[in-house]
Amino acid sequence: MKQLTMKPSNPLRGTIKVPGDKSISHRSVMFGSIANGTTRVEGFLPGADCQATIACFKSMGVSIEQHSPTSLTIEGVGWEGLKEPEELLDVGNSGTTIRLMLGILAGRPFYSAVAGDESIARRPMDRVLDPLREMGAKVDGRQGGRFTPLGVRGGGLKGIHYQSPVASAQIKSCILLAGLQATGETIVEEPHLSRDHTERMLRAFGVEVNSFSGGVSLHGGQQLIGKDVRVPGDISSAAFPLVAALLVPGSHITIQDVGLNPARTGILDVLHAMGAMVEVKETGEWSGEPVGDITVSASDLQGTEISGELIPRLIDEIPIIAVAATQAKGKTIIRDAAELKVKETNRIAVTATELSKLGANIEETPDGLIIEGGTPLHSGICDSRGDHRIGMATAIAGMVAKGGATVENATAINVSFPGFAELMAELSEK
Ligand code: S3P
């Protein structure tokens, strides 16, 4: 699937599910591997990123059986059972794999070499390596030890009190995983709450984790106990069909079993503020995570402002929110989102450039975007630039663009949403 062509769509109709949550899928493999005992995972996301996590832990001697693309059994080996990998740990395109795994490797008494693709080679690792070094980890890499490939010689960690300059679950989770292997207490504070899947899943695996206003702490020396995990649908993937249904006149769709963790539902708050007809019905809790169904109907949207504590709650959804904003009445302003520059691509620049190719009136600012809505989109050729979320955002834009759109390098979509094109086609055929 090198190229994906999207045509102006019929009304979207039907009830669907989206693939499992990427953040929770990664953690299920990592925590299952370092736990004592067996972990069975249902609803696992079989995207390229999470497959990279599986491969890394297999390289460290963990037996992981994939019964079907979405169902796994992990025979946890405990902290002490992880083995020095004989080959390079290849994280592919996955920032979550490398940053969380570094927290695990930093405490293991062996050598490991870690690298990924060319996007990973450009992404800053000092945000996790600085606190890990403060804890006593020995890590080297390119450009003064800041970029992949990295070499880690782990062990001998001591707990720290870390004030993170950014709200990032990858930073927080990395330090907590190192902290579990350190002496004493580890405390991480962050400017706003980032997604708390690590805290929730660690608790489910029997670890004592203390969340307080502004941060989280835990004591080193705790063991994890294997636990079955049921992974909810990824709200970050649901965001694409949700926005498509809001924009294509006459649409009405329901997405079932979506994760509704409040640290992830910023997109729903924003869509409400834009005047979208969105109904959310919470149906239960899976492995400590709230889950429910989301129903949307095509709506007339208005522009909005997005900033501050909302940003970490919708950080991965900004490219698709930008697509919605191009069709809303009035201006949408996104601020405080400089973190987008260090995602799989510089998502501020790339969202603006790629949507402009379809006629969107969108301007890049140092920490966000300004989108002048109500602009009809026209046909064009966009490029995912190897970024799954840019690929899907431009594909959805193509569904409302006069004449449709073609997305180059659309294979990247498989990183988080295998079956995306087929699912969108199925919705528009009903
Ligand atoms: C993730 C955290 C976020 C998010 C990424 C997944 C995670 O990154 O963008 O897609 O699973 O912890 P940051 O923590 O760097 O904001």
Side-chain angles (χ1 to χ4, degrees):
M1 194 179 59
K2 279 206 134 133
Q3 260 194 356
L4 175 62
T5 296
M6 302 298 274
K7 297 262 158 58
S9 175
N10 297 325
L12 303 174
R13 300 258 161 184
T15 297
I16 57 164
K17 292 183 183 174
V18 291
D21 187 278
K22 183 157 77 69
S23 295
I24 298 175
S25 295
H26 281 301
R27 287 159 174 79
S28 69
V29 171
M30 295 188 189
F31 299 0
S33 296
I34 58 176
N36 297 300
T38 304
T39 291
R40 286 176 207 83
V41 186
E42 294 300 334
F44 182 76
L45 167 65
D49 268 21
C50 298
Q51 296 292 355
T53 298
I54 292 183
C56 287
F57 282 84
K58 280 186 170 173
S59 297
M60 288 187 272
V62 183
S63 152
I64 303 174
E65 200 183 332
Q66 204 155 1
H67 311 285
S68 75
T70 59
S71 157
L72 310 177
T73 301
I74 305 159
E75 296 302 341
V77 294
W79 290 113
E80 305 302 327
L82 282 185
K83 292 202 179 75
E84 181 171 85
E86 284 173 16
E87 65 257 46
L88 179 92
L89 297 172
D90 182 359
V91 304
N93 187 241
S94 178
T96 305
T97 307
I98 190 163
R99 296 209 180 98
L100 269 63
M101 192 168 66
L102 282 168
I104 295 174
L105 297 174
R108 291 298 84 218
F110 54 64
Y111 175 79
S112 49
V114 193
D117 66 7
E118 65 283 356
S119 156
I120 284 290
R122 287 193 302 267
R123 296 181 70 183
M125 293 300 143
D126 45 353
R127 52 179 46 207
V128 293
L129 297 179
D130 288 346
L132 289 178
R133 289 189 182 112
E134 205 180 315
M135 298 175 84
K138 288 169 227 59
V139 189
D140 209 349
R142 279 187 308 122
Q143 294 189 29
R146 290 161 55 229
F147 292 97
T148 59
L150 300 172
V152 186
R153 191 167 289 285
L157 302 183
K158 54 179 193 314
I160 50 167
H161 184 162
Y162 191 67
Q163 205 92 40
S164 178
V166 282
S168 156
Q170 293 180 355
I171 298 176
K172 174 174 65 176
S173 304
C174 171
I175 300 171
L176 292 177
L177 288 165
L180 281 174
Q181 305 171 78
T183 53
E185 191 181 20
T186 290
I187 306 169
V188 186
E189 293 190 78
E190 48 184 356
H192 298 295
L193 178 71
S194 64
R195 63 191 67 189
D196 62 352
H197 304 301
T198 293
E199 296 91 305
R200 287 172 188 252
M201 200 184 288
L202 282 178
R203 283 190 194 105
F205 278 65
V207 173
E208 247 182 73
V209 183
N210 169 34
S211 296
F212 57 90
S213 161
V216 53
S217 68
L218 50 69
H219 285 278
Q222 301 189 62
Q223 301 289 326
L224 283 71
I225 304 157
K227 173 92 187 170
D228 294 349
V229 177
R230 190 173 174 201
V231 183
D234 197 328
I235 192 165
S236 297
S237 297
F240 297 99
L242 282 180
V243 168
L246 286 172
L247 299 186
V248 176
S251 299
H252 181 81
I253 68 166
T254 295
I255 310 184
Q256 292 177 317
D257 300 338
V258 181
L260 297 175
N261 182 317
R264 299 284 301 281
T265 50
I267 173 129
L268 301 178
D269 297 353
V270 163
L271 293 176
H272 273 131
M274 294 177 87
M277 284 187 271
V278 184
E279 262 176 59
V280 180
K281 195 174 86 195
E282 206 169 308
T283 52
E285 200 176 275
W286 296 4
S287 311
E289 297 278 350
V291 175
D293 301 342
I294 306 175
T295 300
V296 294
S297 305
S299 306
D300 291 329
L301 302 179
Q302 63 212 28
T304 189
E305 294 201 11
I306 307 171
S307 64
E309 65 85 32
L310 250 180
I311 296 294
R313 296 180 54 230
L314 47 65
I315 188 73
D316 292 336
E317 285 65 79
I318 290 178
I320 188 63
I321 289 173
V323 174
T326 67
Q327 302 307 295
K329 199 161 155 243
K331 194 185 280 205
T332 293
I333 302 174
I334 303 171
R335 287 194 200 92
D336 304 329
E339 271 296 292
L340 287 180
K341 294 183 182 169
V342 290
K343 295 294 174 189
E344 285 83 332
T345 55
N346 174 343
R347 284 188 180 154
I348 294 183
V350 172
T351 300
T353 311
E354 294 303 319
L355 292 181
S356 296
K357 291 179 182 171
L358 304 178
N361 187 342
I362 177 166
E363 186 194 321
E364 189 186 335
T365 67
D367 68 345
L369 293 162
I370 299 175
I371 303 132
E372 206 61 67
T375 322
L377 300 181
H378 56 65
S379 65
I381 300 174
C382 301
D383 189 340
S384 79
R385 319 270 195 107
D387 183 332
H388 51 132
R389 299 200 201 280
I390 298 296
M392 288 184 276
T394 48
I396 300 297
M399 294 174 85
V400 291
K402 193 160 181 264
T406 295
V407 183
E408 307 265 24
N409 291 312
T411 315
I413 292 171
N414 292 333
V415 155
S416 67
F417 201 152
F420 165 79
E422 294 74 10
L423 194 65
M424 295 313 299
E426 190 188 312
L427 279 173
S428 62
E429 273 157 18
K430 283 195 174 136

